[in-house]
Amino acid sequence: MSDVNKTIQKWHASFRKATDFDSWGQLVEAIDEYQILARQLQKEAQSTNSSDYTEEQKCTQSKEEFKLEDLKRLETIIKNILTYNKEFPFDVQPVPLRKILAPGEEENLELEEEEDAAAGAGATEAFPPRAPGTLLPRLPSEPGMTLLTIKIEKIGLKDAGQCIDPYMTISVKDVNGVDLNPVQDTPVATRKEDTYIHFSVDIEIQRHLEKLPKGAAIFFEFKHYKPKKRFTSTKCFAFMEMDEIKPGPIVIELYKKPTDFKRKKLQLLTKKPLYLHLHQTLHKDS
């Protein structure tokens, strides 16, 4: 007999004892059995095997009154709880929901992800969030001003093939980690090859280079979805400083999370020759 069936039988036995005592007028004994059943159900609801329940569903306390006749109707439900029929008319196991995040937003559902938020605390949300995967067009040209287009070609990762729904978040920060431009998210990359994930997407920097303050930097955060934890995580990041802006290809190093927008505590992701590959194009209206 499976553990699930043993658990269900235990619940059923406690339920029958409670309702029998209740119907015989032995209220003290009935209350004891109801409390035993409540503890069993609460323990199961809070276990890791019942992570599909919401906190509201796990709650066993109620101010509503139940009549004995109402409680007896639960017997069939308890006998069939935690079971499902794969043939009716299809498998109806719970499907986990997935939250769609706004650009630059990340769910911090565990300690290591909370560290991401702490390190990025200096990043002020100066621009409203947009729908994910929507990139902004190039700004209008101005006489004597320079615009920058960055093509994200590919990123090298030792476990590239295992990354689910990978994308990049691009932001421009000042020396204190404050946003200078709207944050942009690339569409999800669909091509993976060996240790590379290919993006081949153009990012239009939303400020003329001459208007960027000293010490500014362009950040690239690589993110992917973790189905077991049900949230999007930053795996690593890279950045490019103003003196690195020049036409042509450039390869920049990858750093361990959490993203350090102030660039004070940097740790390389790997010693292997794996980098973020970019190509820069400058547009100047003379």
Side-chain angles (χ1 to χ4, degrees):
M1 181 182 297
S2 69
D3 291 339
V4 170
N5 287 334
K6 289 179 181 178
T7 300
I8 295 171
Q9 286 196 356
K10 185 186 297 183
W11 293 354
H12 188 220
S14 295
F15 182 84
R16 288 297 300 272
K17 283 184 180 180
T19 54
D20 285 343
F21 282 132
D22 205 348
S23 63
W24 299 335
Q26 297 176 246
L27 300 184
V28 175
E29 291 84 352
I31 290 172
D32 288 340
E33 289 299 330
Y34 283 137
Q35 289 177 339
I36 291 172
L37 177 60
R39 285 195 294 269
Q40 292 172 346
L41 292 171
Q42 188 174 40
K43 181 179 178 181
E44 180 63 25
Q46 293 174 346
S47 71
T48 55
N49 291 331
S50 59
S51 58
D52 290 320
Y53 298 126
T54 65
E55 290 301 318
E56 183 179 357
Q57 290 171 325
K58 290 180 183 180
C59 181
T60 58
Q61 296 181 354
S62 175
K63 295 182 180 179
E64 297 179 12
E65 293 185 2
F66 291 94
K67 296 180 180 179
L68 179 59
E69 293 77 13
D70 296 327
L71 289 171
K72 286 185 175 180
R73 294 193 186 103
L74 295 174
E75 182 173 356
T76 302
I77 297 174
I78 289 180
K79 288 173 65 176
N80 291 287
I81 198 167
L82 295 181
T83 62
Y84 65 92
N85 187 349
K86 292 185 178 181
E87 299 177 356
F88 177 78
F90 47 78
D91 189 345
V92 291
Q93 295 185 71
V95 177
L97 298 178
R98 177 173 176 183
K99 181 181 178 182
I100 299 176
L101 304 178
E105 185 182 22
E106 180 172 341
E107 293 180 272
N108 301 303
L109 302 182
E110 62 178 10
L111 181 59
E112 64 177 14
E113 304 306 322
E114 289 173 359
E115 293 175 355
D116 287 5
T124 303
E125 291 288 342
F127 301 90
R130 298 174 301 103
T134 55
L135 297 173
L136 296 171
R138 189 181 308 166
L139 293 176
S141 60
E142 293 184 16
M145 294 292 181
T146 308
L147 291 169
L148 171 64
T149 301
I150 300 176
K151 178 182 283 293
I152 302 177
E153 295 184 336
K154 60 184 179 181
I155 186 171
L157 298 166
K158 62 181 181 180
D159 57 349
Q162 299 175 20
C163 294
I164 298 174
D165 291 351
Y167 68 96
M168 302 282 291
T169 295
I170 300 90
S171 58
V172 182
K173 311 280 187 181
D174 68 9
V175 69
N176 295 314
V178 177
D179 280 318
L180 298 171
N181 288 352
V183 176
Q184 302 185 67
D185 282 353
T186 70
V188 170
T190 56
R191 182 185 166 204
K192 301 173 186 177
E193 185 180 34
D194 298 327
T195 56
Y196 288 101
I197 297 175
H198 295 261
F199 286 90
S200 299
V201 62
D202 288 339
I203 309 298
E204 303 292 347
I205 300 303
Q206 298 295 300
R207 182 173 290 203
H208 295 89
L209 297 183
E210 290 80 2
K211 297 180 181 180
L212 290 174
K214 183 179 180 180
I218 303 171
F219 282 83
F220 306 85
E221 298 175 86
F222 178 82
K223 300 181 179 182
H224 64 128
Y225 182 65
K226 292 185 174 181
K228 290 184 179 179
K229 298 178 181 179
R230 300 183 188 175
F231 67 94
T232 298
S233 171
T234 298
K235 183 176 182 66
C236 59
F237 73 99
F239 63 89
M240 188 171 66
E241 297 182 323
M242 294 301 98
D243 59 359
E244 297 176 283
I245 296 178
K246 60 187 74 174
I250 182 174
V251 174
I252 56 178
E253 293 178 317
L254 301 173
Y255 296 95
K256 292 181 179 180
K257 66 177 182 179
T259 307
D260 183 7
F261 293 119
K262 296 183 179 180
R263 293 161 274 164
K264 292 183 177 180
K265 297 179 181 179
L266 300 171
Q267 288 185 299
L268 288 174
L269 179 66
T270 178
K271 294 180 180 179
K272 295 182 179 181
L274 298 173
Y275 307 98
L276 178 61
H277 296 251
L278 309 171
H279 190 281
Q280 303 181 79
T281 303
L282 300 180
H283 314 272
K284 188 164 186 177
D285 188 353
S286 56

